Amino acid sequence: MIDLKQLKYFTTIVEEGQITKAAKKLHIAQPPLSQQLKQLEETLGVTLLERSTKKLELTEPGKVLYERAKQLLQQLDDALLEVREIEEGAKGTLSIGCVKSCFYYLSEVMEPFHRSFPNIKFHLREGDSFLIGELLRERIIDIGIVRLPIDDLRQYDIISLPSEPYVAVLPAQWPARGPHMHVREFRGLPLLLLHRIHGKGQYELVVHECRRHGFEPKIVCECPDATVLLSLVAKGIGATILPQSTVSFFPVPGIRVCSLVDFSVQAEAAAIVDQSRHLSKSARHFLSFLQHRFGGM
């Protein structure tokens, strides 16, 4: 007879890649964990993991069991959460992952949300849109606030947030310019651009816009952190192009901000949640606050 504990042990071994690491994570000794794996294989009459290499590798039956076991354990977690919420109401911890260039949206909602639900505390994680998507899939966070585009959009429920213009940010020590700039004025200027760890995003949008205006941008730095780029601009290393709210939210001395009069795209953002996951009461309340604050989305 297979029990849930065995499935939990098995999925942890797969995810850790070694029985030693899995035992440490599960806070049990290695020999009984190995014995549980052996019993599971004997019950099923199949080999689940190949042990010939330093890192354990799933067999074909193992792959099927891992996917099914993971789904089953996630469904159990969701069911237990739903049951506890009936008794507890709106309290606990709400985990949110947010792209730094989207902190404005998060900040607009946190204070009124906390006033309405003082028993819910926040756990915040920061990263680029790719990382936020990974944290959602791994169930480390409940809600992601990201810049679009994002890969595999169809697996998420999406709440669009207001789009906004991109602005040019230049070192204050550079020769003075007017309050407006044309994209062509970036020709030959050193550019510092946001670039995700993986996938396409604002970097590709800016590069495409420069090419649309007939030139190849001179990119001297790529970084996934908007605040780092702003600090480098203030040091005179180059200029950057960022969403307007990002520059306003992270004021840095030593920069000059100009509107872009012929930039054809706007910065888009969204709150995303995993379609396959039960949303906690606190997460549903937070999304309602987002919708109310940024109405007409």
Side-chain angles (χ1 to χ4, degrees), residues 128-130 146-152 166 194-206 208 211 268:
D128 69 3
S129 293
F130 172 76
V146 300
R147 284 288 173 194
L148 302 178
I150 186 172
D151 295 335
D152 301 322
Y166 284 99
L194 281 176
H195 201 170
R196 294 180 185 174
I197 295 172
H198 182 78
K200 295 182 178 180
Q202 293 181 78
Y203 176 92
E204 287 76 17
L205 291 175
V206 173
H208 179 268
R211 290 172 177 167
E268 297 183 332

Side-chain angles (χ1 to χ4, degrees), residues 120-134:
I120 297 175
K121 68 176 182 179
F122 292 97
H123 180 200
L124 302 181
R125 297 287 296 267
E126 184 268 330
D128 69 3
S129 293
F130 172 76
L131 177 59
I132 299 305
E134 289 290 294

Side-chain angles (χ1 to χ4, degrees), residues 139-170:
R139 298 189 166 217
I140 295 172
I141 59 174
D142 305 301
I143 298 171
I145 301 177
V146 300
R147 284 288 173 194
L148 302 178
I150 186 172
D151 295 335
D152 301 322
L153 204 54
R154 287 176 295 181
Q155 68 182 286
Y156 304 113
D157 286 325
I158 302 166
I159 296 176
S160 296
L161 299 172
S163 59
E164 57 177 318
Y166 284 99
V167 294
V169 188
L170 295 86

Side-chain angles (χ1 to χ4, degrees), residues 183-184 186-187 191 193 204-218 241 263:
V183 176
R184 65 175 181 271
F186 282 97
R187 185 191 297 268
L191 266 179
L193 295 183
E204 287 76 17
L205 291 175
V206 173
V207 170
H208 179 268
E209 190 67 12
C210 291
R211 290 172 177 167
R212 193 176 71 85
H213 285 268
F215 68 95
E216 195 70 23
K218 181 183 176 182
I241 296 174
F263 205 80

